[in-house]
Amino acid sequence: MKKLFAGMALLALTAGVADAQEVTLRGVTAFAKGTTFSRPFEAFVAWVNENGKGLVQIDYVGGPEAVPTFELGNAVSSGIVDIANNTSAFYTNLVPEGDALHLATNTIQTQRANGCYALVDAIHQDKMNVKYLARTGDNINFHLYLTKPISGPDLSGLTIRTTPVYQAMFEALGADLVRTAPGEVYTALERGAIDGYGWPIQGVLDLGWDELTKYRVDPGFYQVDVNFLVNLDRWKALSDEQKAVLEKGAEMIEAQNAANLDINASEAAKQKEAGIEVISFAGDDSAKWLATAQSTGWASVKAIDAEVGAKLESCLVQ
Ligand code: 173
């Protein structure tokens, strides 16, 4: 009996030592460092490094200069990167159903409450070998930006830079599409290789694209999803205490999504100051624009997997 207790004490001690080891995760963002869609991740990294001392830290390696934008999904899936800040449109090769995320009309807080978060997390674990830790970008719409004017929702004759976010919609409206990472947009505009691009309401000035952009088309559509993804093997190896730090940081960052409404308004004002004119669709044009966005978006998700698509629609659209 004495021996057993001694053994147990030793076990507890070694477990304690193992728990006390600080883990450092290598973090990479799909967006340029210090720009709009990296900022929430950077705030999260700072929070974890402050609140996770002795437990978990994040070594912020960098952005697309460290891992190319469309390679980051593979890198976090295989464990080359431990935690990634990435949008589903950049990893459709691994999680094609992720195309549903930008079709959400509710918030991550609602998605956590109604079971949608658990479903999205399970899909990511299954298909990509990552824990879906957090979602940023709620309340931010996407827009079409142009170098020449249009008079209605007809994009025929225009070459538009796209990602999977806008692909089905812009194609249905007649555009010719070129898929590029954000890092290639400025040069494509400069060369006249594109007549416009899809991008959210935030971030245009950050990237200097306002210099080469003449028009923004309103209304905006869809909702940004920029997600924190943790390699699943790495996640499973963390202690409950270490996981709790990351989950608390995620909750803190997701609460900040509410501030996006104010940031959107100030970005729109800055675009106006920078000389970007608004082409604002009204009446039937606006209705066609938005209806095409929704119908083509969900049709392409359901073409990938009808059952999962219907499940996601029922909890993302409310
Ligand atoms: O346009 C894009 O590169 C894109 O799909 C995206 C997604 C989320 C945030 C910013 C851009």
Side-chain angles (χ1 to χ4, degrees), residues 200-273:
I201 187 68
Q202 296 185 23
V204 171
L205 281 92
D206 235 10
L207 297 156
W209 299 350
D210 54 300
E211 295 166 16
L212 300 167
T213 305
K214 293 219 170 70
Y215 305 96
R216 182 185 78 240
V217 177
D218 279 8
F221 47 88
Y222 302 151
Q223 179 167 257
V224 167
D225 67 283
V226 178
N227 312 304
F228 301 171
L229 309 173
V230 185
N231 174 269
L232 192 58
D233 305 299
R234 201 73 165 129
W235 175 257
K236 284 182 175 164
L238 296 175
S239 70
D240 288 348
E241 234 183 327
Q242 289 165 330
K243 286 178 184 164
V245 171
L246 298 177
E247 283 175 330
K248 261 185 99 176
E251 193 186 329
M252 180 281 298
I253 235 51
E254 287 177 347
Q256 293 185 8
N257 289 343
N260 280 325
L261 291 170
D262 284 343
I263 302 173
N264 294 342
S266 84
E267 285 273 322
K270 282 185 207 157
Q271 287 184 13
K272 191 173 174 191
E273 259 170 53

Side-chain angles (χ1 to χ4, degrees), residues 105-294:
T105 58
N106 55 14
T107 63
I108 183 65
Q109 286 79 15
T110 300
Q111 291 157 29
R112 284 186 186 274
N114 74 8
C116 213
Y117 167 82
L119 175 61
V120 170
D121 182 27
I123 293 171
H124 278 76
Q125 294 203 19
D126 180 39
K127 299 232 152 154
M128 194 176 177
N129 193 45
V130 292
K131 168 77 186 168
Y132 184 83
L133 185 67
R135 173 170 177 155
T136 71
D138 284 353
N139 308 311
I140 306 176
N141 291 158
F142 292 90
H143 289 261
L144 170 64
Y145 296 86
L146 294 166
T147 59
K148 19 176 115 146
I150 51 171
S151 54
D154 176 3
L155 307 179
S156 51
L158 297 173
T159 303
I160 307 294
R161 174 269 173 185
T162 189
T163 67
V165 169
Y166 331 87
Q167 191 166 315
M169 173 186 179
F170 291 173
E171 202 168 65
L173 295 170
D176 292 321
L177 303 177
V178 188
R179 184 184 169 193
T180 81
E184 290 157 44
V185 172
Y186 189 94
T187 312
L189 284 168
E190 216 175 18
R191 289 198 188 130
I194 54 173
D195 304 309
Y197 57 90
W199 191 259
I201 187 68
Q202 296 185 23
V204 171
L205 281 92
D206 235 10
L207 297 156
W209 299 350
D210 54 300
E211 295 166 16
L212 300 167
T213 305
K214 293 219 170 70
Y215 305 96
R216 182 185 78 240
V217 177
D218 279 8
F221 47 88
Y222 302 151
Q223 179 167 257
V224 167
D225 67 283
V226 178
N227 312 304
F228 301 171
L229 309 173
V230 185
N231 174 269
L232 192 58
D233 305 299
R234 201 73 165 129
W235 175 257
K236 284 182 175 164
L238 296 175
S239 70
D240 288 348
E241 234 183 327
Q242 289 165 330
K243 286 178 184 164
V245 171
L246 298 177
E247 283 175 330
K248 261 185 99 176
E251 193 186 329
M252 180 281 298
I253 235 51
E254 287 177 347
Q256 293 185 8
N257 289 343
N260 280 325
L261 291 170
D262 284 343
I263 302 173
N264 294 342
S266 84
E267 285 273 322
K270 282 185 207 157
Q271 287 184 13
K272 191 173 174 191
E273 259 170 53
I276 298 178
E277 283 178 47
V278 178
I279 297 171
S280 193
F281 290 157
D284 287 352
D285 282 350
S286 173
K288 183 178 177 191
W289 186 244
L290 295 176
T292 306
Q294 282 306 304

Side-chain angles (χ1 to χ4, degrees), residues 52-101:
K53 288 197 174 97
L55 283 170
V56 57
Q57 297 285 288
I58 298 173
D59 173 17
Y60 184 36
V61 177
E65 76 289 351
V67 180
T69 304
F70 298 139
E71 282 303 317
L72 184 56
N74 292 329
V76 69
S77 176
S78 66
I80 292 172
V81 163
D82 299 317
I83 182 165
N85 178 58
N86 206 352
T87 184
S88 55
F90 298 165
Y91 57 85
T92 44
N93 60 317
L94 297 168
V95 186
E97 307 87 334
D99 261 349
L101 295 183

